[in-house]
Amino acid sequence: NAGVTQTPKFQVLKTGQSMTLQCAQDMNHEYMSWYRQDPGMGLRLIHYSVGAGITDQGEVPNGYNVSRSTTEDFPLRLLSAAPSQTSVYFCASSYSIGPTVDTIYFGEGSWLTVV
Amino acid sequence: KNQVEQSPQSLIILEGKNCTLQCNYTVSPFSNLRWYKQDTGRGPVSLTIMTFSENTKSNGRYTATLDADTKQSSLHITASQLSDSASYICVVSAGGGNKLTFGTGTQLKVEL
C-alpha cells in the first residue's frame, strides 16, 4: 500500500508565487486533512474534508485553499506565498473522524521555503 | 483552551536502557489519546490509541498508560534501540473526536 502520498517533497517559492501541494491516499478514507508543523509548536490544522465535495477550515486557514473533487485527492493551494508560510506540511487521512479510534495516517511531509 | 504538554523536551539515553515520556493534557471533553513516533524528515507514525476506558496499551516495546482522572499519559520504551531515536508526539482528541490537539513532542536520542 502506498498509504498517503505527498508531492513535492521540497519546494522553494518566491514571495507572491502560488503553488499546489498534492496529497493522495489509496485507502478509501473519507477524512483527509492538512497540517503545518513549525519549530517548537505542535501540528496545527489548516483545512480538512469529511468526504468528496465537503471541506472546512481548521485552526490556521488563512492564505490556503483546498478542494476535494475525489475521495483519493486533497490538494492544498497557497494563493500568494508569504515567508510566514515557510513550514513543513503534512497531509493526513483516516476512515472517519469523531469518537473513533481509527488510525490517522500521515504523509511524509512537504518542506516549503518562501523567500 | 485545550493544551497538551510533554516532558521532557529532549532526552538522551544509552542503548538497551528504558525510558518514560510524559504527557499532560487539559482537553475537554476527552475522546481519546494517541502517541505518534516521528523520525527526522518523516511523517508521524501511530504507536497507540487509547480511549477513556483504557489505562494501558502496548505496541511491542512501547507501552502507553492513561490516567483520565489526573489527565496524564506516559509512553514507556523498553530496551531502547538506536532506531528509537525520534520525536514522540502526544495527541489528544476532544469533543466528537475531530478536534486534535498536538503536543510539541519529546526528542529522544538513543546512543551507543
Side-chain angles (χ1 to χ4, degrees):
Chain A
N1 277 342
V4 179
T5 303
Q6 289 183 232
T7 57
K9 181 79 170 180
F10 299 99
Q11 183 71 48
V12 179
L13 282 179
K14 293 182 179 180
T15 298
Q17 286 184 320
S18 63
M19 77 157 297
T20 298
L21 300 179
Q22 302 291 344
C23 176
Q25 51 89 11
D26 62 357
M27 298 173 281
N28 201 31
H29 286 170
E30 289 295 327
Y31 185 83
M32 297 185 73
S33 53
W34 276 101
Y35 292 88
R36 59 179 290 172
Q37 186 175 39
D38 299 296
M41 302 182 72
L43 274 75
R44 292 182 292 167
L45 180 65
I46 303 171
H47 284 286
Y48 66 95
S49 169
V50 297
I54 306 171
T55 64
D56 205 348
Q57 296 181 352
E59 180 185 356
V60 287
N62 292 341
Y64 307 95
N65 200 0
V66 293
S67 61
R68 185 93 179 271
S69 57
T70 66
T71 299
E72 294 78 20
D73 300 300
F74 190 45
L76 177 72
R77 297 182 184 85
L78 280 72
L79 308 174
S80 177
S84 61
Q85 293 179 303
T86 294
S87 187
V88 184
Y89 292 85
F90 289 98
C91 180
S93 76
S94 62
Y95 276 115
S96 64
I97 202 69
T100 171
V101 291
D102 289 338
T103 297
I104 301 172
Y105 296 87
F106 287 85
E108 294 287 23
S110 295
W111 273 252
L112 176 67
T113 301
V114 182
V115 298
Chain B
K1 180 180 177 182
N2 291 336
Q3 287 187 320
V4 174
E5 296 184 353
Q6 294 186 241
S7 62
Q9 188 173 7
S10 62
L11 181 63
I12 301 174
I13 62 173
L14 294 176
E15 187 181 29
K17 299 296 185 183
N18 304 334
C19 68
T20 301
L21 314 180
Q22 300 292 341
C23 173
N24 295 340
Y25 61 91
T26 55
V27 172
S28 182
F30 176 84
S31 179
N32 57 66
L33 186 145
R34 305 163 186 259
W35 282 95
Y36 278 83
K37 178 187 179 188
Q38 184 176 20
D39 292 321
T40 300
R42 307 292 295 274
V45 175
S46 180
L47 292 176
T48 63
I49 306 171
M50 289 184 292
T51 61
F52 182 88
S53 60
E54 297 174 297
N55 53 26
T56 302
K57 183 71 71 77
S58 291
N59 178 358
R61 295 180 296 101
Y62 301 100
T63 299
T65 65
L66 173 64
D67 186 334
D69 291 332
T70 62
K71 299 186 177 181
Q72 296 179 326
S73 176
S74 64
L75 181 69
H76 185 74
I77 304 175
T78 303
S80 61
Q81 301 176 358
L82 296 178
S83 59
D84 292 331
S85 296
S87 177
Y88 291 85
I89 301 172
C90 176
V91 187
V92 182
S93 178
N98 61 344
K99 300 291 185 183
L100 300 178
T101 302
F102 290 77
T104 56
T106 291
Q107 188 68 46
L108 174 66
K109 184 175 183 180
V110 181
E111 296 181 336
L112 289 172

